[in-house]
Amino acid sequence: MTEHTEQTESCGFEPKIMAFVCNWCTYAGADLAGTSRMEYRPNVRIIKLPCTGRIDPLFIIKAFENGADGVLVSGCHPGDCHYTTGNYHARRRWIGFKNLMEFTGIDMRRLHFSWVSASEAIKWVDLINGITDEIKKIGPFMEYKGLKEKASL
Ligand code: FES
């Protein structure tokens, strides 16, 4: 355990996780978790979009800019997209974007991509709990604030 990790855990750091999810699968899976009264970490803020194909990489940058400590993109499993191929486009875009983020020095443990169907409430719960625990260990996302401060000098 690093000094930084010990500090963030002892300070009671609660990460903010932005989840961009598609309406037809992952949102329905998260909704099923709620209506089934499953408990999971309250750190996630869900933004529902029609399809993962609608997710612009700028949404992710904006999320970090506005204080997110981690980002999740999740939609229908391959072959199940309501709009046939939206999730394939999202996956391709994600791979390119992830490499770019890695190049800029962002810890890849802050970015997650997953498939969660409307019936996978348990998977949703495990995913959110896992991401929350992982980001708690690495601490708050401060890099963007540092870049913004440097840019304004
Ligand atoms: S509708 Fe779910 S990923 Fe396209």
Side-chain angles (χ1 to χ4, degrees):
M1 190 177 281
T2 66
E3 190 178 313
H4 177 69
T5 307
E6 286 171 3
Q7 281 176 356
T8 54
E9 285 186 356
S10 64
C11 294
F13 164 62
E14 288 296 336
K16 293 185 202 81
I17 298 159
M18 296 296 307
F20 296 98
V21 305
C22 85
N23 178 49
W24 301 99
C25 285
T26 302
Y27 185 79
D31 194 40
L32 180 62
T35 54
S36 305
R37 296 175 182 262
M38 294 177 179
E39 288 188 17
Y40 58 95
R41 308 281 194 287
N43 303 67
V44 66
R45 304 291 180 270
I46 297 174
I47 297 186
K48 180 172 70 167
L49 295 160
C51 175
T52 52
R54 172 64 185 89
I55 295 168
D56 188 312
L58 284 176
F59 294 174
I60 299 169
I61 292 170
K62 281 283 174 195
F64 282 124
E65 184 185 344
N66 287 295
D69 300 299
V71 172
L72 166 68
V73 172
S74 182
C76 307
H77 285 265
D80 288 346
C81 176
H82 195 75
Y83 304 97
T84 316
T85 56
N87 52 2
Y88 293 125
H89 292 291
R91 181 168 60 185
R92 190 170 303 159
R93 212 175 295 140
W94 173 262
I95 291 166
F97 179 75
K98 193 169 166 267
N99 291 339
L100 183 66
M101 296 299 273
E102 200 165 14
F103 177 74
T104 60
I106 290 177
D107 190 329
M108 285 302 101
R109 292 174 295 174
R110 296 187 185 282
L111 286 166
H112 296 265
F113 189 103
S114 184
W115 314 117
V116 176
S117 78
S119 63
E120 292 180 313
I122 294 170
K123 183 175 179 183
W124 171 258
V125 168
D126 290 343
L127 184 65
I128 297 306
N129 288 343
I131 293 171
T132 302
D133 290 345
E134 189 168 14
I135 294 177
K136 268 187 180 184
K137 282 184 201 147
I138 55 178
F141 180 70
M142 304 298 286
E143 292 89 334
Y144 196 89
K145 291 174 189 98
L147 288 173
K148 258 172 96 173
E149 284 164 16
K150 279 183 196 165
S152 64
L153 291 177

